[in-house]
Amino acid sequence: MLVGILVLGLWYLVLMDKIHQHYFYVQQKDISSCATIKSTKTNWKRVSDMSQDHSTKVLLQIKDPNITDLVVQEATNGSLQVLAKLTYPVTVCARCGKRSMVKNGFKTVHIRIPRISERVTILNLKKQRFICKNCGKSSLTTTTLVKKHHQISENSLHAIDLSLTEDRTMASIAAQYNVSTNTISRRIKLLGQGTQPAFNGLPTMLCIDEFRSTGKQMSFIAVDAQTHDIITILPGRKNADIKDFFLNHYSKRHRDRVTRVVMDFNSQYQPAIRTLFPHAKLVADNFHLVQMALRSLNQTRVQLMKRFNPKSREYRVLKYYWRLYLKDYDSLEKRKPQWFAHLKDRMTQEQLVVAGLNLDQQFRQTYQAAHALVKAFQKRDYRSFKAALGHVENISPQLMTNIKSFIKNRQLIKNMTTGRLSNGPVEGVNRKIKQIKRTAYGYKNWQNFIYRIQIEFKIKIEKKNPIRKWIGF
């Protein structure tokens, strides 16, 4: 009996010990599991913070890995304020070379970066300060985001440079990037100096002309007839200035390469061009030839119109439908009548033009001679041109003056008929230069004007199609 009681007590002690060990194991496992969960949450929070910094950097296009702890806040003035910290280890002093650099607080700088969602964005960057215990030299951390002692980021300056290649005013660019117009002027000067021509050769074909630049000044311009690139723009158009420029910037070997020079009938340039480019043929611009013939026809029409009463039918026939007289006779509508409100009559275009030509015999002869010349110029047919000169009897003095110029410069017209060159490239350049002047409301400073022309013509930006969908990484 006693032995049974002892065995039962011993079994009870063993059982209780096992229960205690199992409970302690389960408790330890639960504590370890909780610690693991807490540690996982901490690590996830760190990864989440790192991912948020990365996303903000991608949005702001910040490449510097030393810039951390980015926080974006909305200010009361409507701007976006980005708070960030810039720090990295520095141990060696740049002045004394000893390892005695220690941290010395922060300095906050305010950097202007490109807009986000059309809102002004300021990066408030806390830069780490360092001081040398040995020599007392203090220093500040630097970043590739902005130059030292500058407050405008490199991204903003690059965006300003891209905007300067467009036809925009300095004030609009300054307002978009939260800078002053003086900053835009400095960028124009910097880019203009970087786009100066190399003067390393001349093309084989040139187009020359003049245009109104600053004030009432007329300037000389030369353009490559094949690539349409600007060769030079001179402040004046005197022969002495043109000769000095080409003789001082291009060798005789380069000038001898020029074989054709397209120009209008401005006799001022011909002696200088023949001297500078002895192997070049002078080519007349067919656009100016057509313009001269039609202008003289239009002047004849105006003189005839003034001979009639403004309330008469003859006056209205010549006054309100002047474009039909400049149109080629073969392209006039001859079958389908139309309503002419000023005449209160219905007729074809051919009938209206014939009614105007029947008013005066000299006007009819001038009309026929002018359109014969225009057709020869447009077809670049020298034989047709010579044939048209044989039918110039009883024409107006205006057309006769131009015909004398054609005869005097017939060699230039003959050279024009042997190729397809024209002054179209330089006329297109002049049109864009006029638009640059119009956008800026004119220029007073010649150098700033030339810098802006060089930037818009020589800096080529690749045009891209709009991006409307996600295309992956």
Side-chain angles (χ1 to χ4, degrees), residues 329-340:
Y329 187 83
D330 294 336
S331 60
L332 293 174
E333 180 59 49
K334 300 178 178 61
R335 295 184 179 181
K336 186 177 180 181
Q338 66 184 79
W339 177 256
F340 293 98

Side-chain angles (χ1 to χ4, degrees), residues 163-313:
S163 298
L164 286 173
T165 62
E166 303 171 358
D167 186 27
R168 297 180 55 185
T169 61
M170 294 169 54
S172 67
I173 298 175
Q176 179 180 356
Y177 296 104
N178 193 27
V179 298
S180 65
T181 53
N182 290 334
T183 300
I184 307 298
S185 297
R186 287 193 292 269
R187 298 305 298 180
I188 289 176
K189 183 178 180 180
L190 183 64
L191 289 176
Q193 292 174 349
T195 54
Q196 294 289 347
F199 305 116
N200 55 358
L202 285 170
T204 57
M205 302 177 186
L206 286 176
C207 298
I208 64 172
D209 201 1
E210 68 274 344
F211 68 95
R212 190 179 299 277
S213 55
T214 55
K216 297 182 179 180
Q217 183 179 4
M218 297 297 293
S219 300
F220 173 84
I221 181 172
V223 175
D224 189 334
Q226 293 177 318
T227 63
H228 304 177
D229 294 332
I230 297 177
I231 302 302
T232 184
I233 299 178
L234 302 181
R237 57 174 180 173
K238 295 181 179 179
N239 281 345
D241 299 335
I242 298 173
K243 288 181 179 180
D244 289 343
F245 174 80
F246 282 100
L247 291 175
N248 293 331
H249 291 84
Y250 297 100
S251 64
K252 188 177 184 303
R253 180 174 60 87
H254 289 153
R255 289 185 281 111
D256 288 345
R257 292 184 65 247
V258 180
T259 58
R260 289 178 178 267
V261 178
V262 186
M263 58 184 298
D264 53 20
F265 280 170
N266 191 339
S267 59
Q268 168 192 345
Y269 295 135
Q270 295 188 22
I273 297 302
R274 288 193 174 96
T275 303
L276 292 171
F277 312 110
H279 301 290
K281 292 182 179 180
L282 301 186
V283 180
D285 178 32
N286 64 333
F287 169 78
H288 284 89
L289 300 178
V290 172
Q291 187 182 49
M292 290 172 65
L294 293 180
R295 184 186 290 121
S296 61
L297 173 61
N298 202 38
Q299 291 171 351
T300 306
R301 177 194 61 83
V302 172
Q303 283 193 351
L304 176 62
M305 178 190 70
K306 291 180 178 179
R307 288 160 47 183
F308 297 97
N309 189 332
K311 295 183 180 180
S312 64
R313 179 182 176 88

Side-chain angles (χ1 to χ4, degrees), residues 111-127:
I111 303 171
R112 283 168 278 182
I113 60 178
R115 289 173 177 255
I116 302 297
S117 297
E118 296 302 322
R119 300 176 68 177
V120 174
T121 308
I122 305 295
L123 176 61
N124 302 281
L125 188 60
K126 293 175 64 177
K127 290 186 174 183

